[in-house]
Amino acid sequence: MDEIWLISGMFLATYPTRYLFLAMAGRVRFPIWLQQALAFVPPVVLMAIVVPAVVMPKGEIWLSWHNAWLIAGIASLLIALWRKDLLTTIVSGMIIFLLLRWWLG
């Protein structure tokens, strides 16, 4: 029974807000400064998700070359800046991370 309330609450919290933006799509013009600011939202949200997972994989800040998440993240960032290709970045980052986990234990 709790799951039904949980799902109903999630529906009420997400559906109206998303429907409102879809219903107003094309009818509302945002100012240029707001459009430019909104362009930064996806990278900022991604950073907010990725950085804690990379810097604090065990719940505490861990800045060491033994941290496979951190080293693989830095390597992926460098590869992304160099290649500018999402698939290459993801695959090479995963390979580097798996090799580091195997090597570091």
Side-chain angles (χ1 to χ4, degrees), residues 17-65:
T17 56
R18 293 180 185 206
Y19 178 76
L20 182 65
F21 282 110
L22 290 174
M24 294 181 358
R27 296 182 190 164
V28 176
R29 288 294 216 189
F30 293 118
I32 297 296
W33 63 267
L34 184 57
Q35 291 178 13
Q36 292 173 342
L38 290 175
F40 290 102
V41 170
V44 169
V45 170
L46 185 61
M47 289 294 288
I49 294 170
V50 170
V51 169
V54 169
V55 177
M56 303 184 332
K58 296 182 178 177
E60 296 179 3
I61 294 178
W62 186 20
L63 301 176
S64 168
W65 67 272

